[in-house]
Amino acid sequence: DADVTQTPRNRITKTGKRIMLECSQTKGHDRMYWYRQDPGLGLQLIYYSFDVKDINKGEISDGYSVSRQAQAKFSLSLESAIPNQTALYFCATKVRVTNTEAFFGQGTRLTVV
Amino acid sequence: AQTVTQSQPEMSVQEAETVTLSCTYDTSENNYYLFWYKQPPSRQMILVIRQEAYKQQNATENRFSVNFQKAAKSFSLKISDSQLGDTAMYFCAFTFRTGANNLFFGTGTRLTVIP
């Protein structure tokens, strides 16, 4: 099983619908992140969390919310999806030590029609 | 603002040849770490190599090496003896020692290894 698991892997939803993307990890890391990848733009930070009670906005948080249900689970919600939120979404985890790598899930491709 | 620039959107290389991917970045911070990530068609983000900014010695991992020029804020990736499995999108990124500890990514270079 993957260390960082994202569900669903692919999703098509309609404009205005609420949708939740889920992320769970078995690595025991305290830090979790949600990134969005758009063609030609690289990955941008949406939200991050250092523990269950510590959640912070990233560069592009408008239109998104998150929930850290447990150390191992970090969900991203789109309250009312719009077409320009069509993108590839990644969850990532890392330990507190700065120079260690981030571990990524396999991504969720979200299409808003 | 923290920025990462990868000026080569696409590159190609013959199998077994060497290729260099360019990356420049801009930050006013002094303590940071640099990374190259690979994203094959499977979408998985895979760490290729990392470099601590306080180390002058360039990092090497098997066929992958970097040329880190701190004063010029340049961090290029050299792939030697290119293999078909190296075909992927490559992202340059950095993170700080403090704060959110998130990654700042470039826009990526799509590398194709030609048989």
Side-chain angles (χ1 to χ4, degrees), chain A residues 77-89:
Chain A
S77 293
L78 287 68
E79 298 301 326
S80 180
I82 57 177
N84 75 0
Q85 291 178 313
T86 292
L88 187 54
Y89 290 86

Side-chain angles (χ1 to χ4, degrees), chain A residues 8-10 31 33 35 37 40-45 48 50 59 88 90 94-109, chain B residues 2 31-33 35 37 39 41-47 50 52 54-55 89 91 95-108:
Chain A
R9 188 156 167 77
N10 299 284
R31 300 188 172 194
Y33 302 82
Y35 291 91
Q37 181 180 4
L41 290 181
L43 282 75
Q44 297 174 279
L45 181 66
Y48 64 99
F50 285 359
E59 307 165 80
L88 187 54
F90 283 99
K94 72 185 307 293
V95 297
R96 195 164 308 188
V97 178
T98 310
N99 65 340
T100 56
E101 67 179 288
F103 291 85
F104 287 81
Q106 289 193 292
T108 295
R109 183 168 299 283
Chain B
Q2 329 301 332
N31 294 317
Y32 52 89
Y33 301 87
F35 303 85
Y37 277 86
Q39 185 181 44
S42 67
R43 304 194 318 217
Q44 187 67 50
M45 295 288 285
I46 302 165
L47 178 68
R50 84 188 84 193
E52 289 87 348
Y54 62 87
K55 288 186 178 179
M89 181 74 85
F91 290 98
T95 188
F96 299 123
R97 291 186 67 183
T98 58
N101 196 212
N102 60 295
L103 289 160
F104 295 92
F105 285 90
T107 53

Side-chain angles (χ1 to χ4, degrees), chain A residues 10-86:
Chain A
N10 299 284
R11 178 74 180 266
I12 300 173
T13 192
K14 293 183 178 181
T15 298
K17 292 291 186 182
R18 184 180 188 275
I19 183 169
M20 179 181 290
L21 310 182
E22 298 185 333
C23 175
S24 63
Q25 52 125 340
T26 59
K27 299 196 72 66
H29 293 169
D30 54 350
R31 300 188 172 194
M32 298 187 74
Y33 302 82
W34 276 104
Y35 291 91
R36 168 179 168 160
Q37 181 180 4
D38 295 280
L41 290 181
L43 282 75
Q44 297 174 279
L45 181 66
I46 307 173
Y47 269 94
Y48 64 99
S49 170
F50 285 359
D51 64 39
V52 174
K53 297 181 181 179
D54 185 359
I55 293 177
N56 303 276
K57 293 182 178 180
E59 307 165 80
I60 55 166
S61 59
D62 287 350
Y64 301 95
S65 63
V66 291
S67 173
R68 184 86 182 261
Q69 300 95 326
Q71 189 202 32
K73 295 183 182 294
F74 192 37
S75 300
L76 175 72
S77 293
L78 287 68
E79 298 301 326
S80 180
I82 57 177
N84 75 0
Q85 291 178 313
T86 292

Side-chain angles (χ1 to χ4, degrees), chain B residues 5 24 28 30 41 43-44 54 60 81 89 97 100 104 108 114:
Chain B
T5 301
T24 59
S28 58
N30 197 44
R43 304 194 318 217
Q44 187 67 50
Y54 62 87
T60 299
D81 185 25
M89 181 74 85
R97 291 186 67 183
F104 295 92
I114 302 167

